[in-house]
Amino acid sequence: MLAYWDSPTALPPMFNHGVSLSADGFDVVMICLAANAAGAAADPLVPGLSSTRLQIRSRQFFQRLLGPAPPRPLAAVQWAVSYFEFVIKSIAAALRTGADVYEANDLPPLLPAIVAARLRRKPVVYRAHELWSEATPNVRFAGFWRWMERSLVPKCDYVITPEENRSRIYHDELKARRPPMTIRNCPPYRPPTQSSRLHDEMRRRGRPSSTIVLYQGLIDSMRCIEEIAEASRSFDAGVVLVVMGTGFGRWAGATAALAEFERVVVLPPVPYEELAPFTASADIGVLLYRNDCRNNYYCAPNKLFEYMMMGLPVIAPNYPGMLTLVEGEGVGLCVAPDSPRAIAEAVNHLARDPEARARMRANGLRLSKARYHWATESAPLLQLYRSLARVGAAA
């Protein structure tokens, strides 16, 4: 597995897939970036699964020379040189594994995955977690990424996406060889946790709350954080919005950026493996995406399933995939994400109707256990990889 990330666990669907493959008898090697100079060695994670961390020395050199925010032309040169180094080093690392199947997670590692696979005459799979060239309204080097998608996707043996509309785009527009497989970003199942962590924290802060609305994850304008915060001005008495996560740029200091909103409490992020008690102690989960690119319009957030698994009714955007799942399965409400009024009305409706919340909670818990968890969702994926491994071993 190749990824253009600083950690094997930075992409939960990739990591969950690696764990499943290792449990199924595969030897899995994750090739990714080294977060720092000490992280270059392979580090075992679970039996049968290891990671090889690549030091991109040109990136380190440019950062020392130019600092964290170089002028735009120099930043482009820095990125091009460091990406070229990544491609060369990841091809070499991929060839050393002697793998029977190669998998690229997102677009940047697809080129080295295809090169290594073709040199060894092995199958290559593209895990398209995003519509990469449309991940934001202003993707850096969007023209280059579009050229990469149109040139490389047809060369993949299989494409896997987390959402049906994205699968259609990869097949109809980007000319995948066969209809892509849709595997949702469901986490591994875990029973719901009984917790009062957030309510206890609110009492400790002198902010006892009857209803806690939780936003967890990336704090960013793309996730409609401004609209969610503005909606809090119209929340009923006793309803508080808790924001947990990390942000970049102007959202790096979320506490200061959201200080004007009386009903918003910002808490520091916690490690993913420690998040469940915080999630379970909320009353409503909110996740919204701005409709400014197709990647957002056809969003496929694992956060939705994390909320459901802990029994939270969900407030989500009124986009096609979200409507089918959230309102179709009776686990929450869908709203116009750019409307603070609509967000506030949905929150207040659920806050005033404990029976509706209990019904949505029961549906979410039932569906999480029966259907929307990784072991069930990934079963076709494991079957595909067993077939590909036989082909790869015979090549």
Side-chain angles (χ1 to χ4, degrees), residues 263-287:
R263 297 181 183 272
V264 177
V265 176
V266 180
L267 298 181
V270 298
Y272 181 76
E273 60 273 13
E274 301 174 15
L275 187 58
F278 291 91
T279 306
S281 64
D283 301 290
I284 300 168
V286 60
L287 61 95

Side-chain angles (χ1 to χ4, degrees), residues 196-230:
S196 60
R197 186 74 64 89
L198 290 179
H199 282 278
D200 292 343
E201 178 63 21
M202 293 304 101
R203 281 191 290 270
R204 188 186 70 79
R205 291 172 174 242
R207 304 271 308 262
S209 310
S210 60
T211 305
I212 292 179
V213 181
L214 175 65
Y215 175 91
Q216 67 184 39
L218 177 65
I219 302 171
D220 190 82
S221 296
M222 187 173 63
R223 306 293 173 88
C224 298
I225 193 65
E226 294 101 327
E227 287 82 357
I228 298 171
E230 188 62 33

Side-chain angles (χ1 to χ4, degrees), residues 162-182:
E163 199 271 338
E164 292 178 355
N165 292 289
R166 296 187 190 187
S167 290
R168 172 181 52 79
I169 290 169
Y170 273 97
H171 186 246
D172 296 348
E173 298 181 23
L174 299 176
K175 308 304 179 186
R177 290 184 183 179
R178 48 179 63 85
M181 180 181 291
T182 303

Side-chain angles (χ1 to χ4, degrees), residues 29-143:
V29 180
M30 294 179 173
I31 299 171
C32 59
L33 304 176
N36 50 56
D43 52 340
L45 298 168
V46 297
L49 190 153
S50 64
S51 72
T52 297
R53 314 293 287 274
L54 304 176
Q55 280 199 49
I56 307 302
R57 297 189 182 280
S58 57
R59 183 172 68 168
Q60 298 169 7
F61 169 78
F62 276 104
Q63 288 175 347
R64 288 195 302 268
L65 181 66
L66 303 174
R72 191 174 182 86
L74 292 177
V77 173
Q78 170 186 333
W79 181 86
V81 173
S82 61
Y83 179 66
F84 179 75
E85 182 183 353
F86 165 77
V87 169
I88 298 302
K89 287 188 172 180
S90 56
I91 290 173
L95 290 173
R96 286 195 297 269
T97 65
D100 295 307
V101 183
Y102 290 89
E103 175 187 291
N105 286 270
D106 285 326
L107 187 58
L110 183 55
L111 175 59
I114 287 177
V115 171
R118 292 296 175 262
L119 288 174
R120 302 196 62 249
R121 299 182 181 179
K122 305 294 183 181
V124 60
V125 177
Y126 179 30
R127 292 290 306 276
H129 302 285
E130 312 286 350
L131 292 169
W132 192 264
S133 67
E134 302 178 49
T136 67
N138 300 297
V139 177
R140 287 182 71 192
F141 313 113

